[in-house]
Amino acid sequence: KTPVTRTHRPRGLAADSTMAVGKNKRLSKGKKGKGKKIVDPFTKKEWYDIKAPSNFSVRSCGKTPVTRTTGTKIASEMLKGRVFEVCLADLNKNEDDAYKKIKLQCEEVQGHYCLTQFYGMDFTTDKLRSMVRKWQTLIEAHVDVKTLDGYVMRLFCIGFTKKRNNQLKKTCYANSSQQKLIRKKMRDIMTREATSCDIRGLVDKFIPNVIGTEIEKSCHGVYPMQNVHIRKVKMLKKPKFDITKLLEAHGDSKTSAAPVEDSGSKVKVADSDMTAVDAAE
């Protein structure tokens, strides 16, 4: 016998009856969201210029979009705190520094300019990979430093051993005690250089790799070093925001070091007035 299949239908519903339109609310309506117009989000945006501190030769280093001020959402408040990553080659017009990436954070908005401050530094991946080779020792160290104006940063240093002059041996490995001594020298020099200046002076040291060269010279007696760099700078703490210091960093501060005495300027007197004064005397 062939099995008989039965179709079950809800109780009280006839076989030829159809569901009422009013029962299922979606049947009478069209496709959901059909009448919604697609608006390009960039019609509501406005563009602001990013202004780098005076440490760099190129001050206007890019643009950033932000939604226009509407109600309680103020455009300038949305811009504050944004971090921009810019290549140092673009900031200083020097292609030799293309492997350094500078982070700038927007701290104040004046007109259509975002005034930024240094926020960190990093190396490109290809530069780091190109320095790591066989038959040498990689030595790394990091230290937390505080600048004179209250910025707390973490500096990461990297360096590699190199062959001595007239060395015939293929490898140039440093033993653990030498590595330990080199790491200590790295930390001491980074701390000394960073704590003796403000953030503006420290950025000036990062750009030409002053600290790396100093470490290389100092460690030469322990083991010859090469490719010593501050590979990364991370901002940990910032002092309370001060607009005058930011304007000084941008070279826009109008305040002078000492008050200048106002001697005035000579006033031209008409000839008729001079004759009247002489007659009165």
Side-chain angles (χ1 to χ4, degrees):
K1 286 182 180 180
T2 55
V4 179
T5 55
R6 294 182 181 180
T7 54
H8 295 279
R9 57 175 173 268
R11 190 179 292 174
L13 190 68
D16 58 343
S17 67
T18 55
M19 284 184 75
V21 175
K23 298 286 182 185
N24 191 350
K25 291 179 181 178
R26 289 297 316 155
L27 286 176
S28 59
K29 294 182 182 177
K31 202 172 181 183
K32 198 170 184 181
K34 187 182 178 183
K36 215 172 187 181
K37 288 182 182 178
I38 299 166
V39 183
D40 184 21
F42 274 84
T43 56
K44 296 176 184 175
K45 306 280 181 188
E46 53 187 1
W47 293 83
Y48 283 76
D49 291 304
I50 303 163
K51 200 176 178 190
S54 57
N55 301 81
F56 309 102
S57 55
V58 178
R59 303 296 301 283
S60 186
C61 57
K63 288 180 178 286
T64 183
V66 68
T67 310
R68 286 192 190 91
T69 303
T70 49
T72 55
K73 289 184 178 179
I74 302 162
S76 60
E77 291 301 317
M78 286 190 276
L79 282 168
K80 285 175 188 175
R82 277 193 190 181
V83 178
F84 311 105
E85 196 172 78
V86 193
C87 181
L88 187 58
D90 298 332
L91 286 169
N92 278 350
K93 290 183 179 177
N94 184 8
E95 282 303 314
D96 295 337
D97 294 330
Y99 58 88
K100 287 181 183 176
K101 297 182 290 182
I102 303 292
K103 284 182 181 178
L104 302 170
Q105 187 177 39
C106 176
E107 292 200 344
E108 183 63 32
V109 179
Q110 285 191 345
H112 268 262
Y113 287 97
C114 296
L115 303 185
T116 59
Q117 183 60 282
F118 178 80
Y119 188 69
M121 188 184 77
D122 205 355
F123 270 26
T124 54
T125 312
D126 61 302
K127 174 67 177 177
L128 285 169
R129 300 289 181 275
S130 68
M131 290 192 296
V132 179
R133 297 191 187 122
K134 290 199 289 184
W135 322 121
Q136 62 183 15
T137 306
L138 183 153
I139 302 167
E140 281 187 302
H142 67 272
V143 68
D144 292 358
V145 294
K146 189 174 185 178
T147 60
L148 290 175
D149 48 356
Y151 286 86
V152 180
M153 286 180 280
R154 186 168 290 154
L155 309 185
F156 296 82
C157 183
I158 191 168
F160 303 88
T161 56
K162 72 172 181 181
K163 286 183 179 180
R164 298 180 191 274
N165 293 335
N166 306 319
Q167 183 178 326
L168 298 173
K169 196 168 75 168
K170 183 184 180 182
T171 60
C172 51
Y173 297 133
N175 60 41
S176 58
S177 61
Q178 287 171 325
Q179 290 179 37
K180 196 174 179 181
L181 193 57
I182 288 168
R183 270 195 294 272
K184 186 180 183 300
K185 282 181 180 289
M186 281 179 173
R187 281 194 289 267
D188 291 346
I189 291 167
M190 283 192 287
T191 307
R192 188 188 72 210
E193 294 289 331
T195 52
S196 62
C197 61
D198 59 357
I199 185 134
R200 193 174 174 182
L202 191 56
V203 174
D204 287 335
K205 289 178 182 179
F206 290 147
I207 295 167
N209 194 30
V210 171
I211 301 172
T213 313
E214 186 67 30
I215 292 167
E216 207 169 302
K217 285 179 188 173
S218 176
C219 295
H220 189 77
V222 181
Y223 208 104
M225 299 289 289
Q226 64 178 346
N227 294 330
V228 182
H229 295 279
I230 301 295
R231 67 168 182 87
K232 189 176 181 180
V233 180
K234 194 189 279 187
M235 186 71 72
L236 300 179
K237 278 183 188 175
K238 293 196 297 178
K240 197 176 176 182
F241 176 66
D242 188 359
I243 185 69
T244 54
K245 283 186 179 177
L246 181 67
L247 291 174
E248 277 173 23
H250 282 263
D252 300 335
S253 182
K254 299 290 184 291
T255 55
S256 55
V260 180
E261 191 182 344
D262 187 13
S263 56
S265 58
K266 200 172 182 180
V267 178
K268 287 184 179 178
V269 183
D271 295 335
S272 57
D273 292 342
M274 288 297 290
T275 52
V277 169
D278 292 338
E281 287 175 353

